[in-house]
């Protein structure tokens, strides 16, 4: 029943930003009456492709054909006029206006020189009722309704412009299961009406539930187009992260570490959760244990780590540290309980570019001591020198501005910042991303030696080999839920972990 | 049932303003003999007609999330231009009026363009506009220019009877016309709704394809025009042009708009509220005049206290409406 000519064809799309090639020769074929998933990890180019399609960016090379006509979109307004509408993750409507107004603003109905509120309210109510099965009071302010309903209203706005292509960018990330089902009912209805829908989501279960076909991107490149019911989860995941299934051997094991006989729990978390971020999970970390957090980017790994550090506040659950209840409501409390956190965004949340290596290292220690107990400069230099040597930081000059260092060395300075405070649990969120192989190996080695000295490490990484090599226990996250916990013994292989990441395993 | 509650939270700041005005009027009436009269009420309009007009323009600016600090200086500059053109250049009022109105309109338009095209803070641009306009006054004349002209005298002294021996001035008619026009613009034109949308979220307004730039420029143009119109009304009232006229009036205006229930962050508020806000400033002054022994500086103290009260009130309302939303979301 599917028509054979695509409604929208994007071909050879290339988009370059200064210094980065965000998209290289990407293609996308969209048929009317289908739900098409755009898959890829964060940074794979999904957002860029959507922004190109909606006119936020213009592409450097390639062509876009809509309904058989070649088009070039230069602004969001133009895209809307062509029938391409987007509903963003963060609802882009005005909460201070009424529901009806949000649907009609920009295209208001005017009668005798004035806005015809009566007609707009009537039409808005009808539109929501007939097309979205939503019977609400459209004269109320948008802020009166939940995010789920606001999202429906955003969809209604797109329909009102008689959209042909509807792009849903992460629409389910802040919805609960009921709301997701409600949204999916609407999507199915719109699909039947012949709308072409692009669906972006990190939730694999949802992709398999709602989409017909999918296009996979990786590092800004087009990997392939597949029928959703013809590609297995495991294969899909391997396409997304770029690991050929046949290459995954069980070899390369970390030598079993007999030193882990001390079974004294440092942190015991029970039933910790935060709505829209991560489903309730338990987490035990022993003293001197390295726990790996595996999962696709966006599966909730960082969210979990942030909850343990108190950077976000959990809705439910309790955390015991050394056997007694601890209240980790803020990073400050976490730090005083001996927890340290190295953020994955080292540029924005970690280093301060215009300070020196020494100053960057000393920050956390100074914070812990209180700002009025100044650490003497001589002592600061001693500490900095010590860690520069220990971590092999290059250049070995404590007065160098940190922004002039390579990524790997910046990472080491950050690590030093927290090591100086002598934490009992070190949370490392993607410490090895974007740094060279040598620095990676050094950081892994350091983790192992720290754990021997009794420090616990929570290690978040996208690289499965790395996790297998260093961790004793591996927790796997999928769709914002902790789905598996493996003891890293000889039987576990990369394939097992990838299966867990992809889901659909017994 | 729920509808009643909804109306409450949306209109609460406005209701509070009107309630406050009634309480203050009753207080004055009980305390002072002769306070409770139609003429005292009408005098509020006569004495503050110009402030009502500026406040209307300022309401649009604040609704959009901006601010306009130049209004006081533009009033002074307009009065100066009008006086100088009438007395020195001996032009007929038929020419003087449109030329004077052009002063603020052009200044407002230019400031709007700067804010939009160079993506500058409205605060800093209109601050520059404020100094510029004030300076230009003294470029025309450092002294006050008294206006001795038939038309201006007519506008100043004509009393329009409204029955029962009470009267209003022509300025009041102009101010009320402006208010009615502004209410229509705010609620029944695309421009008005775009202003609200812009104040709600500029980013969203942009993504919804609204003409953000055009709207911004028009907002400051309207505010400039209102300031000049207010400048003319002020000139009718004072019958002179002077560089020190309306000193610090921009702050009174902002106070009136905020007391009138418009959120300083933009997006919520009513033109009618600003009118009541101006009347509240007026009634404070009237009470102090009736009291007789109090220094006029008590007006400022009272305005300061009220302003604080209203900002806290707004914060409480916003916080409360947020909690109701989450409770709906998580039910």
């Amino acid at each position: 029943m599917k028509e054979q000519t695509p409604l929208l064809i994007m071909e050879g799309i290339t988009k370059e930003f200064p210094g980065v090639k965000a998209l290289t020769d990407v293609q996308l074929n969209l048929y009317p009456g289908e739900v098409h998933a755009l898959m890829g990890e964060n940074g794979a180019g999904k957002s860029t492709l959507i922004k190109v399609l909606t006119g936020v960016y213009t592409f450097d090379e390639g062509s876009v054909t809509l309904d058989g006509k070649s088009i070039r979109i230069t602004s969001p307004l133009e895209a809307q006029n062509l029938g391409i509408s987007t509903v963003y993750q963060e609802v882009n409507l005005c909460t201070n206006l009424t529901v009806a107004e949000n649907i009609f603003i920009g295209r208001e109905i005017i009668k005798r020189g004035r806005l015809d509120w009566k007609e707009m309210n009537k039409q808005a109510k009808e539109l929501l009722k007939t097309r979205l099965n939503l019977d609400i009071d459209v004269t109320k302010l948008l802020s009166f309704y939940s995010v789920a309903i606001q999202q429906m209203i955003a969809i209604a706005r797109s329909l009102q412009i008689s959209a042909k292509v509807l792009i849903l960018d992460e629409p389910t990330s802040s919805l609960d299961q009921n709301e997701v089902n409600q949204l999916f009912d609407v999507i199915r209805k719109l699909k039947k009406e012949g709308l072409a829908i692009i669906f972006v989501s990190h939730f694999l279960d949802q992709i398999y539930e709602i989409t017909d076909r999918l296009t996979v991107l990786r590092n800004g490149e087009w990997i392939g187009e597949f029928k959703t019911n013809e590609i297995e989860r495991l294969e899909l995941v391997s396409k997304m992260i770029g690991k050929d299934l046949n290459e995954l051997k069980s070899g390369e094991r970390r030598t079993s570490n007999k030193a882990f006989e001390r079974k004294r729990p440092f942190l015991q978390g029970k039933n910790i959760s935060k709505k829209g971020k991560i489903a309730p999970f338990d987490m035990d970390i022993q003293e001197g244990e390295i726990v790996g957090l595996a999962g696709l980017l966006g599966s909730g790994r960082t969210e979990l780590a942030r909850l343990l550090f108190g950077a976000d506040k959990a809705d439910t659950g309790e955390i015991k540290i050394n056997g007694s209840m601890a209240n980790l409501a803020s990073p400050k409390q976490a730090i005083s309980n001996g927890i340290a956190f190295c953020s994955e965004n080292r540029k924005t949340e970690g280093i301060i570019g215009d300070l020196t290596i020494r100053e960057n290292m000393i920050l956390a220690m100074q914070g812990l001591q209180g700002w009025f107990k100044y650490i003497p400069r001589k002592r600061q230099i001693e500490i900095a020198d010590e860690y520069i040597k220990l971590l092999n930081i290059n250049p070995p000059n404590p007065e160098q501005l940190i922004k002039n260092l390579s990524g790997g060395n910046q990472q080491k300075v950050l690590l030093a910042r927290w090591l100086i405070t002598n934490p009992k649990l070190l949370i490392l969120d993607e410490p090895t991303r974007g740094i060279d192989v040598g620095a990676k190996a050094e950081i892994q080695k350091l983790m192992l030696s720290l754990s021997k000295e009794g420090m616990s490490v929570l290690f978040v990484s996208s690289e499965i080999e790395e996790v297998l090599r260093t961790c004793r226990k591996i927790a796997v996250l999928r769709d914002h839920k902790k789905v598996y916990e493996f003891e890293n013994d000889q039987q576990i292989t990369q394939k097992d972990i990838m299966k867990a990441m992809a889901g659909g395993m017994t | 049932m729920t509808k009643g509650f909804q109306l409450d939270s949306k209109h609460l700041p406005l209701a509070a303003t009107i309630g406050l005005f009634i309480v203050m009027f009753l207080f004055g009436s009980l305390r002072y003999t002769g306070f409770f009269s139609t003429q005292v009420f009408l005098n509020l309009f006569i004495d503050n007609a110009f402030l009502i007009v500026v406040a209307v323009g300022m309401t649009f600016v604040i609704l959009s999330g901006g601010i306009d600090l130049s209004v006081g200086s533009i009033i002074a500059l307009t009065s100066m231009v009008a006086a100088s053109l009438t007395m020195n250049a001996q032009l007929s009022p038929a020419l003087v009026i449109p030329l004077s109105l052009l002063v603020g309109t052009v200044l407002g338009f230019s400031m709007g363009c700067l804010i939009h095209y160079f993506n500058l803070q409205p605060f800093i641009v209109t601050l520059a506009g404020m100094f510029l306009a004030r300076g230009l006054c003294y470029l025309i004349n450092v002294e006050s220019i008294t206006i001795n002209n038939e038309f201006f005298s007519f506008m100043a002294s004509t009393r329009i009877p409204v029955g029962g021996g009470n009267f209003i001035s022509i300025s009041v008619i102009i101010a009320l016309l402006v208010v009615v026009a502004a209410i229509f613009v705010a609620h029944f034109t695309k421009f008005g709704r775009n202003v609200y949308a812009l104040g709600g979220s500029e980013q969203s307004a942009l993504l919804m394809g609204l003409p953000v730039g055009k709207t911004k420029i028009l907002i400051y143009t309207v505010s400039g025009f209102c300031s000049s119109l207010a400048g003319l009304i002020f000139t009718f009232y004072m019958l002179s042009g002077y560089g020190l006229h309306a000193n610090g009036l921009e702050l009174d205006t902002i106070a009136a708009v905020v007391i009138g229930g418009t959120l300083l962050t933009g997006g919520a508020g009513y033109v009618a509220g600003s009118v009541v806000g101006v009347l509240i400033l007026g009634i404070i002054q009237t009470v102090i005049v009736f009291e007789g022994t109090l220094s006029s500086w008590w007006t400022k103290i009272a305005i300061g206290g009220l302003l604080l009260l209203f900002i806290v009130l707004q914060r409480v309302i916003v916080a409360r409406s947020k909690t109701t939303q989450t409770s709906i979301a998580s039910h």
Side-chain angles (χ1 to χ4, degrees), chain A residues 193-462:
Chain A
E193 292 170 15
L195 212 65
I197 297 169
I198 297 178
F199 185 82
V200 180
S201 173
H202 278 303
F203 297 95
L204 285 176
D205 288 344
Q206 295 177 359
I207 297 289
Y208 277 92
E209 185 182 343
I210 194 78
T211 66
D212 303 306
R213 289 186 316 132
L214 45 88
T215 292
V216 180
L217 301 181
R218 187 174 70 233
N219 295 332
E221 282 171 41
W222 184 82
I223 299 301
E225 186 188 283
F226 309 93
K227 285 213 158 102
T228 309
N229 54 16
E230 285 173 8
I231 184 169
E232 274 184 45
R233 280 167 183 251
L234 196 54
E235 197 185 341
L236 176 59
V237 171
S238 78
K239 299 262 184 227
M240 284 166 66
I241 62 178
K243 285 267 147 56
D244 194 337
L245 275 180
N246 303 325
E247 271 179 28
L248 297 179
K249 302 162 295 209
S250 58
E252 257 220 88
R253 304 226 43 87
R254 141 182 184 273
T255 48
S256 71
N257 198 333
K258 289 271 190 260
F260 284 123
E261 288 313 316
R262 285 171 295 178
K263 275 270 184 183
R264 224 171 72 88
F266 170 68
L267 180 145
Q268 295 164 289
K270 242 195 147 77
N271 200 29
I272 307 169
S273 78
K274 184 170 175 66
K275 187 176 186 277
K277 298 279 185 206
I278 190 151
F281 68 93
D282 294 344
M283 187 92 194
D284 283 3
I285 301 174
Q286 315 282 333
E287 231 171 52
E289 183 179 45
I290 304 180
V291 179
L293 272 189
L296 291 171
L297 285 172
S299 60
R301 302 173 318 188
T302 301
E303 287 82 351
L304 191 154
R306 285 174 64 90
L307 282 182
L308 292 184
F309 187 56
D312 292 320
K313 209 173 170 323
D315 296 336
T316 62
E318 52 187 49
I319 296 179
K320 279 185 186 168
I321 287 181
N322 283 332
S324 56
M325 291 293 288
N327 180 16
L328 301 181
S330 73
K332 199 170 173 226
Q333 279 160 318
I335 292 170
S336 64
N337 274 304
I339 301 177
F341 180 79
C342 270
S343 160
E344 69 177 324
N345 301 317
R346 94 180 144 244
K347 283 258 153 53
T348 54
E349 291 175 20
I351 64 160
I352 300 173
D354 287 311
L355 296 185
T356 63
I357 294 180
R358 170 180 57 83
E359 286 165 324
N360 267 291
M361 278 186 183
I362 237 70
L363 270 177
M365 186 187 194
Q366 183 75 70
L368 204 63
Q369 291 217 341
W371 291 105
F372 298 105
K373 282 190 204 138
Y374 184 68
I375 302 167
R377 196 186 170 90
K378 220 179 118 200
R379 174 91 188 99
Q380 289 188 21
I381 294 173
E382 273 170 32
I383 295 174
D385 277 335
E386 184 189 331
Y387 278 91
I388 286 174
K389 225 172 277 155
L390 182 76
L391 300 177
N392 198 11
I393 292 171
N394 193 29
N397 170 12
E399 300 308 316
Q400 180 70 252
L401 292 187
I402 196 168
K403 65 178 175 192
N404 300 331
L405 271 58
S406 72
N409 282 302
Q410 288 179 351
Q411 191 63 52
K412 289 189 212 161
V413 173
L414 265 191
L415 213 59
R417 176 192 290 172
W418 292 109
L419 291 179
I420 291 170
T421 65
N422 198 14
K424 297 195 190 69
L425 169 64
L426 182 63
I427 302 174
L428 297 173
D429 194 357
E430 291 278 3
T432 56
R433 188 199 296 167
I435 65 178
D436 61 76
V437 186
K440 247 179 216 177
E442 277 179 63
I443 286 180
Q444 288 168 14
K445 226 168 64 196
L446 181 78
M447 280 180 3
L448 289 172
S449 77
L450 286 172
S451 96
K452 266 196 199 110
E453 287 164 24
M455 192 184 290
S456 315
V457 179
L458 184 65
F459 178 45
V460 179
S461 175
S462 306

Side-chain angles (χ1 to χ4, degrees), chain B residues 17 25 90 114 148 154 157 159 170 178 185 190 263 278 310 317 320:
Chain B
T17 312
F25 199 77
Q90 294 288 337
L114 282 172
N148 196 351
F154 170 79
S157 55
R159 293 179 167 195
I170 297 176
V178 168
V185 167
K190 285 185 168 212
L263 235 53
V278 171
F310 270 77
I317 291 168
R320 219 184 62 178

Side-chain angles (χ1 to χ4, degrees), chain A residues 96-97 105, chain B residues 59-65 185-186 189-201 210 215-216 218-219 266-267:
Chain A
N96 63 325
L97 304 180
I105 195 163
Chain B
T59 309
F60 283 99
V61 175
I62 293 184
L63 274 178
S64 78
V185 167
T189 65
K190 285 185 168 212
F191 167 70
R193 299 325 291 171
N194 289 347
V195 171
Y196 277 86
L198 197 57
S201 161
L210 302 180
T215 307
K216 258 193 194 170
L218 197 53
I219 288 167

Side-chain angles (χ1 to χ4, degrees), chain B residues 92-122:
Chain B
S92 118
L95 264 174
V96 172
I97 303 284
L99 282 177
S100 312
L101 286 178
L102 221 53
V103 170
T105 314
V106 169
L107 270 172
F109 176 76
S110 323
M111 290 190 293
C113 287
L114 282 172
I115 289 165
H116 170 57
Y117 288 112
F118 294 95
N119 200 14
L120 295 170
Q121 293 290 328

Side-chain angles (χ1 to χ4, degrees), chain A residues 77 80 88 92-94 96-97 101-102 105-106 108 110 113-115 117 140-141 143-146 150 157 179, chain B residues 2 5-6 10 184 187-190 193-194 196-197 199-201 203-204 207-210 267-268 325 328-329:
Chain A
L77 187 61
Q80 280 180 20
Y88 296 92
N92 274 294
L93 297 175
C94 290
N96 63 325
L97 304 180
E101 195 165 8
N102 268 298
I105 195 163
E108 295 95 336
I110 291 179
R114 50 179 280 176
L115 303 183
W117 287 110
K140 281 189 185 169
L141 296 187
S143 56
F144 187 76
Y145 294 104
S146 67
Q150 291 185 15
R157 180 179 165 83
E179 293 167 336
Chain B
T2 43
F5 162 76
Q6 166 66 1
K10 198 168 146 188
F184 179 81
H187 296 282
F188 296 103
T189 65
K190 285 185 168 212
R193 299 325 291 171
N194 289 347
Y196 277 86
S201 161
Q203 181 63 22
S204 297
L207 283 172
M208 287 197 281
L210 302 180
Q325 196 223 320
I328 288 163

Side-chain angles (χ1 to χ4, degrees), chain B residues 231-250:
Chain B
L232 275 179
I233 295 174
F234 194 71
T235 316
F236 297 151
Y237 188 72
M238 304 293 282
L239 281 180
S240 72
Y242 187 29
L244 273 180
H245 273 336
N247 215 350
L249 191 90
E250 55 280 345

